Amino acid sequence: MGLLTDDEITEALRTRPDWRRDGAALVRDLELPDFAAALAYVNAAGAVAEERDHHPDLLLHGWNKVRVTISTHSEGGI
């Protein structure tokens, strides 16, 4: 799969307001109930990513926040 055009990205983000574009990546910030829930989310997302061989950047910060950053590393963008 190749890179998406700017128009394709803009259109896709219209239906997903919880995601935003940050340069050559898509980013979503989540706030979960507590540290355990944030850690469980990161572990679950990591398991799916490993299964699909497509690995987002997952950042657990604060005590209940997770940032997911997705790009197509091999293609250098989205």
Side-chain angles (χ1 to χ4, degrees):
M1 179 181 205
L3 296 175
L4 298 176
T5 67
D6 286 338
D7 289 342
E8 290 171 326
I9 294 166
T10 299
E11 183 60 31
L13 290 175
R14 281 194 186 129
T15 60
R16 295 168 182 88
D18 46 343
W19 287 89
R20 71 180 185 283
R21 185 175 188 174
D22 184 1
L26 300 177
V27 178
R28 182 176 181 190
D29 289 303
L30 299 107
E31 188 169 326
L32 294 121
D34 53 32
F35 181 79
L39 185 58
Y41 181 91
V42 167
N43 286 328
V48 171
E50 187 65 18
E51 181 180 294
R52 295 183 181 178
D53 195 31
H54 187 78
H55 304 98
D57 294 331
L58 300 168
L59 173 65
L60 172 58
H61 59 105
W63 62 276
N64 68 335
K65 294 178 178 70
V66 175
R67 175 170 290 160
V68 180
T69 305
I70 299 174
S71 68
T72 306
H73 300 290
S74 62
E75 297 288 332
I78 302 171

